[in-house]
Amino acid sequence: MSNTTLLPLLADGDFHSGQELADVIGVSRTAVWKQVNRIAAESGIVIESVKGKGYRIPGGIDLLDANLVRDALNERSRSLLTRLDVLDSVDSTNTEVTRWVEQSGSSGLVCSAEQQTAGRGRRGRQWVSPYAGNLYLSLLWEFNQGAAALEGLSLAVGVAVARALRACEVPAVQLKWPNDVLYDGAKLGGILLEMSGDAAGSCKVVIGIGLNVSMPEAAAGAIDQAWTDIRSISTQSPPTRNQLLAELLNELLPLAADFEQQGFARWRDEWLALDAFAGTPVVLHTGSGQLAGVARGVDERGALRFETTTGVQTIYGGEISLRAAQ
Ligand code: BTN
């Protein structure tokens, strides 16, 4: 039995007997019982067990539904979407859309999943991806004018994420160069762009986004930086993950379709208005060491403007990370 076979069956919040679950999945009642205990321990999802009634998840869980997401797309986004799959479990949604390219063409492929077993973050980090708590999605798009025309794309994606969150009435977030979505200094989401193909011509870009929506404490132990989630920061009832996913796609699909024509210049002012570190003393962490300076926004190519005693330098993404100076 897979790790998650059971959860869709319990998502409605009603009681289901051990025998019923065992019959649907095709295992013994003991195997169901073991699985319930393991999932509860690993995911932090509360699964009640009541003698004579069976198992239930009090209040149910809000599972992703590709049809609901499709229905909530605006006309333009719907026309740009060529495939949307919501998977129960996958290694990484970024990896999955790359696997689809051979069968499904090139642009407008979207994969989301309830869980990632090998979610990837920037700089070789793991992206903690527990079941049904958060949002993990990847959009694949093919661009034709080479890597240079894509400068600043990952920053524009950050703006698109901030816009989608605003549309869902999530309290205002900020962006940290190059790719973090922050709320009050804590990480709410991250963006991972992976590019393949010809750097001077046609290249395929996977835009991967992870958003913490309702991170179970049990899973959060593996996160090695200050984090938050939408549930904790929302002052009213938080949006469903289906609403969030639809709004993200309503921003991302047109952004991907228009970026080569418009470039980062079209997004820069909005990025600057969301900049969490503008005018702040920071330390740049590179592969070879650290450098102290002051963050001065980004230029029209999306490079960080970094001021030191020798003047303002422009810093391009890659393996560099930025932290507030202590
Ligand atoms: C970061 O380190 O801040 C970037 C995190 C990106 C995580 C997302 S989740 C969906 C997609 N699939 C992955 O394996 N990674 C990205």
Side-chain angles (χ1 to χ4, degrees):
M1 197 186 334
S2 101
N3 204 17
T4 58
T5 321
L6 211 50
L7 286 172
L9 302 175
L10 294 171
D12 59 10
D14 295 338
F15 275 110
H16 296 271
S17 72
Q19 191 59 58
E20 175 196 337
L21 297 171
D23 289 346
V24 175
I25 299 167
V27 296
S28 68
R29 280 193 307 161
T30 311
V32 167
W33 175 77
K34 281 189 188 153
Q35 187 73 356
V36 163
N37 289 328
R38 187 155 69 86
I39 292 173
E42 284 175 4
S43 69
I45 295 172
V46 175
I47 307 180
E48 241 178 47
S49 162
V50 176
K51 216 167 175 203
K53 288 185 165 178
Y55 303 100
R56 74 163 180 176
I57 296 175
I61 42 173
D62 155 42
L63 292 179
L64 292 170
D65 180 332
N67 290 326
L68 289 181
V69 174
R70 249 186 240 105
D71 288 348
L73 293 182
N74 61 38
E75 215 172 301
R76 171 121 204 263
S77 299
R78 210 172 295 159
S79 72
L80 294 168
L81 180 73
T82 52
R83 176 171 173 180
L84 167 65
D85 282 14
V86 170
L87 306 176
D88 194 48
S89 181
V90 71
D91 48 1
S92 153
T93 55
N94 269 26
T95 309
E96 181 67 11
V97 281
T98 316
R99 287 192 283 256
W100 294 351
V101 172
E102 279 149 36
Q103 326 143 31
S104 308
S106 44
S107 290
L109 307 176
V110 176
C111 178
S112 184
E114 294 292 0
Q115 175 190 46
Q116 296 185 118
T117 54
R120 292 197 294 279
R122 287 182 68 236
R123 309 168 80 227
R125 284 178 145 148
Q126 170 204 13
W127 187 257
V128 175
S129 309
Y131 191 87
N134 302 321
L135 211 50
Y136 322 111
L137 82 134
S138 301
L139 162 66
L140 187 137
W141 203 269
E142 182 168 14
F143 296 91
N144 297 309
Q145 294 169 27
L150 300 179
E151 283 174 344
L153 174 61
S154 68
L155 278 74
V157 171
V159 174
V161 172
R163 282 185 180 184
L165 292 172
R166 201 180 307 137
C168 290
E169 297 182 10
V170 172
V173 298
Q174 289 188 304
L175 300 175
K176 175 181 149 188
W177 184 91
N179 283 117
D180 287 356
V181 181
L182 303 183
Y183 178 82
D184 204 11
K187 190 151 170 169
L188 184 69
I191 296 160
L192 177 69
L193 261 62
E194 295 178 312
M195 198 174 292
S196 60
D198 179 359
S202 160
C203 45
K204 294 186 171 68
V205 179
V206 178
I207 299 172
I209 298 173
L211 266 184
N212 299 334
V213 180
S214 181
M215 179 70 83
E217 285 298 331
I223 305 179
D224 59 358
Q225 55 192 317
W227 64 272
T228 189
D229 60 14
I230 291 176
R231 181 189 49 176
S232 325
I233 67 174
S234 293
T235 47
Q236 43 192 319
S237 71
T240 65
R241 290 181 307 135
N242 287 307
Q243 285 167 334
L244 275 168
L245 180 51
E247 284 309 329
L248 282 165
L249 294 179
N250 276 334
E251 292 293 338
L252 286 172
L253 287 158
L255 158 65
D258 299 338
F259 193 80
E260 277 182 316
Q261 282 75 43
Q262 297 178 337
F264 180 63
R266 148 92 171 64
W267 298 86
R268 181 172 171 232
D269 284 349
E270 229 177 308
W271 196 95
L272 292 172
L274 293 163
D275 184 358
F277 280 60
T280 305
V282 291
V283 178
L284 266 187
H285 292 248
T286 68
S288 53
Q290 303 180 3
L291 196 57
V294 176
R296 296 285 181 208
V298 293
D299 70 7
E300 57 292 334
R301 299 170 66 184
L304 175 73
R305 299 184 70 249
F306 181 68
E307 186 178 344
T308 62
T309 46
T310 58
V312 176
Q313 313 168 32
T314 45
I315 310 283
Y316 293 86
E319 294 304 299
I320 293 168
S321 80
L322 185 72
R323 309 230 177 109
Q326 297 300 313

